[in-house]
Amino acid sequence: MKFYKVKNMKKIFVINGGQKFGHSGGKFNETVTNETVNFFNSYPEFEVKLTNIGEGYDADEEVNKFTWADVIIYHTPIWWFQLPHDFKKYIDEVFTAGHAKGIYKSDGRSSDNPAVNYGTGGMLHGRKYMLTTSWNAPKEAFTLPGEFFMEKSVDEGPLFGFHRMNAFTGMQPLKSIHFHDIEKNANVQKDMKEYNNHLQQVFTK
């Protein structure tokens, strides 16, 4: 998967898809979100807007945040190899509200030749997005022969559809970062150090 670079992108929209449900308290993604906001707030040239999905939202206001931003940063846990249900609902509601209002205008096809150009009707061209995910699965589950994800990366395996969703809107991906083995062997201090380095590499180097 090809990742792009940031150039003169200073408006940052952060979305925390963490959720309290079952045995999950959403605390890890809250920590990642706070790290993100604090990082950008330490640089006066950046502007930040934040949505915590669990605190509620207005779909039309969220559309305005997408169209305002240069970069959207998604933070989400992965439940059963997919987005949590509230985050998926957020995407469904906000992207629907953004039809012909800044997110997408059509699926890109024409009635003259409906077999081609699917996925080219997005309205967020020129913008980038970055994805962070958190997993119970260890990273070796994605890399070792014979292990569960059959040597498919997060981005080209379970989250392939998420990336194509963003491509449908016209956005291009910045390098993702994925946190593994969070339930059984979490090392939050190490993860946040790695994440801060990732943010520096993507946005300031």
Side-chain angles (χ1 to χ4, degrees):
M1 181 172 176
K2 181 179 179 180
F3 295 112
Y4 293 80
K5 294 183 179 181
V6 173
K7 290 184 178 180
N8 300 318
M9 295 192 147
K10 304 302 182 184
K11 297 177 181 178
I12 312 296
F13 176 29
V14 181
I15 302 172
N16 176 15
Q19 187 174 329
K20 296 179 181 179
F21 179 80
H23 60 272
S24 173
K27 292 184 177 179
F28 183 80
N29 280 272
E30 182 180 347
T31 299
V32 179
T33 299
N34 290 339
E35 188 75 19
T36 305
V37 172
N38 291 338
F39 174 85
F40 287 111
N41 283 342
S42 68
Y43 293 91
E45 63 266 32
F46 289 104
E47 298 178 69
V48 179
K49 293 187 178 182
L50 169 65
T51 292
N52 288 298
I53 290 173
E55 297 177 0
Y57 54 88
D58 175 84
D60 291 329
E61 182 179 341
E62 297 305 297
V63 172
N64 291 336
K65 291 178 183 177
F66 271 91
T67 59
W68 166 84
D70 297 319
V71 178
I72 289 85
I73 299 180
Y74 299 104
H75 298 308
T76 185
I78 300 301
W79 293 358
W80 292 106
F81 320 119
Q82 302 175 64
L83 303 183
H85 51 271
D86 281 356
F87 191 9
K88 179 59 168 63
K89 180 182 178 184
Y90 171 91
I91 293 293
D92 290 344
E93 292 180 342
V94 173
F95 281 28
T96 298
H99 179 217
K101 295 181 180 178
I103 291 184
Y104 77 103
K105 59 184 176 182
S106 70
D107 69 11
R109 297 179 295 165
S110 70
S111 57
D112 294 334
N113 191 355
V116 299
N117 293 324
Y118 178 80
T120 61
M123 301 176 73
L124 293 175
H125 292 279
R127 294 167 177 82
K128 305 289 194 296
Y129 71 95
M130 191 184 85
L131 172 65
T132 81
T133 65
S134 54
W135 296 77
N136 172 51
K139 63 182 180 180
E140 290 82 5
F142 298 87
T143 60
L144 293 180
E147 286 299 311
F148 187 78
F149 291 101
M150 299 179 287
E151 299 178 76
K152 297 285 188 182
S153 70
V154 171
D155 297 296
E156 295 181 336
L159 272 295
F160 179 79
F162 184 87
H163 286 292
R164 297 320 296 162
M165 174 197 80
N166 284 280
F168 191 95
T169 72
M171 289 193 287
Q172 296 175 326
L174 301 174
K175 187 176 181 181
S176 305
I177 183 168
H178 307 294
F179 303 101
H180 296 284
D181 214 356
I182 295 301
E183 288 195 33
K184 294 182 174 66
N185 293 297
N187 186 336
V188 177
Q189 184 175 2
K190 177 178 177 293
D191 285 339
M192 291 307 98
K193 182 177 181 180
E194 179 183 353
Y195 180 51
N196 193 276
N197 289 337
H198 178 85
L199 290 173
Q200 291 184 41
Q201 289 294 326
V202 172
F203 289 97
T204 66
K205 294 293 179 67

